């Protein structure tokens, strides 16, 4: 009996991984469970810009008072606290009044891949750019709420 031997790499090179259009599979969850595709580089640039604009002390986390200050400094004035709290209700998954960069990117990945609404990169970029100019936080159709608990409906 003869067997054919072939080498299977442990992981793909970054270039090969980027070219692979299939969503990544989490092996611990079985073949049917897949992760959401990552957001595009263009979208990542603007959401990172918004995160950095709020992260006043540049510690890699946005605290609620930092967000309130950011939103109050825009066109919203005293209503800025409402936008900051609405954002935290949607984004702060562990309800610790701090948004890590990972939570932030995970939130935008969820918005982009939302089954409730088909947002294009252009839609999201336009809204984020408006927020950077002082507009209010938007209630995204992402299965989360701007008014309840830690954002879970």
């Amino acid at each position: 009996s003869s067997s054919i031997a072939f080498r299977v790499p442990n992981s793909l090179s970054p270039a090969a991984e980027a070219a692979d259009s299939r969503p990544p599979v989490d092996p611990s969850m079985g073949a049917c469970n897949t992760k959401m595709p990552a957001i595009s580089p263009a979208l990542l640039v603007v959401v990172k810009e918004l995160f950095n604009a709020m992260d006043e002390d540049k510690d890699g986390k946005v605290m609620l008072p930092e967000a309130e200050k950011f939103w109050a400094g825009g066109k919203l004035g005293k209503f800025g606290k409402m936008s900051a709290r609405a954002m935290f209700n949607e984004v702060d998954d562990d309800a610790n009044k701090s948004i890590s960069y990972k939570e932030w990117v995970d939130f935008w990945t969820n918005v982009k891949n939302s089954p409730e609404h088909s947002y294009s990169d252009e839609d999201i970029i336009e809204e984020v750019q408006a927020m950077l100019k002082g507009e209010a936080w938007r209630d995204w159709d992402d299965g989360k709420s701007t008014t309840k608990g830690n954002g879970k409906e």
Side-chain angles (χ1 to χ4, degrees):
S1 133
S2 67
S3 64
I4 299 172
F6 57 93
R7 184 177 170 270
V8 177
N10 291 336
S11 64
L12 297 173
S13 70
E17 206 167 272
D20 184 0
S21 63
R22 297 171 299 174
V25 175
D26 181 349
S28 68
M29 301 304 286
C32 294
N33 189 2
T34 60
K35 295 179 186 177
M36 286 187 279
I39 59 176
S40 72
L43 182 52
L44 189 59
V45 166
V46 295
V47 299
K48 185 174 186 175
E49 184 179 353
L50 181 56
F51 184 88
N52 288 340
M54 290 184 286
D55 184 15
E56 188 175 41
D57 62 6
K58 306 302 177 211
D59 67 350
K61 296 178 287 198
V62 175
M63 306 302 287
L64 183 57
E66 288 176 311
E68 289 174 344
K69 185 175 179 181
F70 169 82
W71 294 108
K75 297 176 182 177
L76 303 174
K78 64 183 178 180
F79 293 104
K81 285 186 177 185
M82 293 171 63
S83 270
R85 290 179 185 145
M87 179 191 74
F88 265 76
N89 286 339
E90 272 196 288
V91 181
D92 185 17
D93 276 338
D94 57 10
N96 67 351
K97 294 187 175 46
S98 169
I99 297 173
S100 69
Y101 187 66
K102 180 185 180 325
E103 276 179 306
W104 186 247
V105 173
D106 287 351
F107 169 77
W108 291 106
T109 301
N110 185 53
V111 167
K112 177 65 181 152
N113 295 289
S114 171
E116 287 88 7
H117 190 93
S118 181
Y119 292 110
S120 70
D121 283 2
E122 293 76 23
D123 293 337
I124 299 170
I125 289 169
E126 181 181 333
E127 291 294 330
V128 172
Q129 287 174 336
M131 288 184 266
L132 280 162
K133 294 175 183 171
E135 299 292 330
W137 178 259
R138 176 184 178 172
D139 186 3
W140 299 91
D141 293 331
D142 63 341
K144 295 184 177 186
S145 171
T146 59
T147 60
K148 293 182 182 178
N150 69 351
K152 305 288 185 198
E153 289 189 303

